[in-house]
Amino acid sequence: QRHSGVALLLPHGYEGQGPEHSSARLERFLSLTAERNIQVIVPTTPAQIFHVLRRQMHRPFRKPLVVMSPKSLLRHPAAVSTLAELADGGFRLVIDDPRPPAGASSRRVVLCAGKIFYALDAARREHAYDDVALVRVEQLYPFPTTELREALARYAGAREVFWVQEEPANQGAWSFVLPLISPLLPSQTKFSYVGRAEAASPATGSHTIHEAEEAAILEQALAR
């Protein structure tokens, strides 16, 4: 009859440093989720981390919190928050595109969680893929169905929706989100996976191979 408010901050991100550096086994934590028993978070900004920890302390109940927090976001020049973002508001379950396609011109919606967003955003700007919307799912469990449905409704003209992740297909969040996101999409909308192929290891030990794999992910996720 005791409640646990334990918070786990686990390094998790694909940075070309090998298997042990790359995976906190996100898929294993997601496989443990049911009946709103724990919280699994993949925040992408300092404000998000601050607000989720603040939320953990101020809620009138206690449930374990699992935070996937890659080391590279500690120094990433784009992973910043203003003082206003830290002082006001709260944790956002879904973060819509900061630079959404104009009007109804979105060709594709890319859904992702974690630091892969910054690589996608940089590649989108470099190659001027202005008709691709990037939406971040910051909380994977409990899954933000309502918030994601509202975000997707803003891009009703999109013909494709991709789930993009750094992890291999048999790891990460793909198998978890597939049955949750599919019912939110119109029947004519194509929903596909973009990421690394299935693998026994969490990540390659070669930085060169890592860079080639990431480049292929970005190309497949954004290219026309």
Side-chain angles (χ1 to χ4, degrees), residues 4-27:
S4 173
V6 64
L8 306 178
L9 273 70
L10 306 176
H12 180 83
Y14 281 60
E15 294 153 350
Q17 301 297 315
E20 290 79 9
H21 185 94
S22 295
S23 184
R25 291 295 185 180
L26 171 61
E27 65 279 358

Side-chain angles (χ1 to χ4, degrees), residues 192-223:
S192 305
Y193 164 81
V194 176
R196 287 171 169 83
E198 291 185 355
S201 173
T204 178
S206 165
H207 190 75
T208 301
I209 294 175
H210 161 79
E211 290 186 331
E213 290 175 341
E214 183 169 279
I217 291 173
L218 300 178
E219 173 72 14
Q220 186 179 352
L222 299 172

Side-chain angles (χ1 to χ4, degrees), residues 51-69:
H51 285 301
V52 80
L53 294 176
R54 183 176 181 274
R55 182 183 78 170
Q56 184 75 350
M57 296 304 298
H58 281 273
R59 277 180 161 176
F61 57 85
R62 292 285 180 265
K63 290 192 178 183
L65 172 67
V66 179
V67 182
M68 298 288 160
S69 49

Side-chain angles (χ1 to χ4, degrees), residues 43-219:
T44 55
T45 71
Q48 284 287 88
I49 294 176
F50 169 74
H51 285 301
V52 80
L53 294 176
R54 183 176 181 274
R55 182 183 78 170
Q56 184 75 350
M57 296 304 298
H58 281 273
R59 277 180 161 176
F61 57 85
R62 292 285 180 265
K63 290 192 178 183
L65 172 67
V66 179
V67 182
M68 298 288 160
S69 49
K71 296 177 181 178
S72 63
L73 289 194
L74 294 172
R75 59 185 181 274
H76 197 293
V80 296
S81 299
T82 65
L83 289 176
E85 289 170 332
L86 288 161
D88 302 323
F91 181 72
R92 293 186 285 171
L93 306 179
V94 173
I95 299 182
D96 198 2
D97 197 325
R99 288 179 292 275
S105 62
S106 54
R107 164 176 57 92
R108 178 182 301 160
V109 177
V110 168
L111 305 177
C112 62
K115 77 177 190 66
I116 189 67
F117 164 78
Y118 293 105
L120 288 164
D121 192 38
R124 179 177 63 167
R125 284 185 278 113
E126 179 183 355
H127 299 288
Y129 290 132
D130 298 327
D131 52 358
V132 177
L134 303 178
V135 178
R136 283 169 276 179
V137 181
E138 300 276 292
Q139 177 171 292
L140 290 171
Y141 192 83
F143 192 74
T145 300
T146 300
E147 291 79 5
L148 184 56
R149 180 185 287 112
E150 292 173 354
L152 290 169
R154 301 184 189 105
Y155 309 106
R159 303 186 302 273
E160 301 172 307
V161 175
F162 286 175
W163 175 263
V164 179
Q165 65 178 36
E166 297 182 303
E167 301 89 352
N170 59 320
Q171 300 171 39
W174 167 240
S175 60
F176 178 79
V177 302
L178 175 58
L180 298 172
I181 295 176
S182 295
L184 306 181
L185 304 174
S187 58
Q188 70 274 16
T189 300
K190 178 184 177 183
F191 184 39
S192 305
Y193 164 81
V194 176
R196 287 171 169 83
E198 291 185 355
S201 173
T204 178
S206 165
H207 190 75
T208 301
I209 294 175
H210 161 79
E211 290 186 331
E213 290 175 341
E214 183 169 279
I217 291 173
L218 300 178
E219 173 72 14

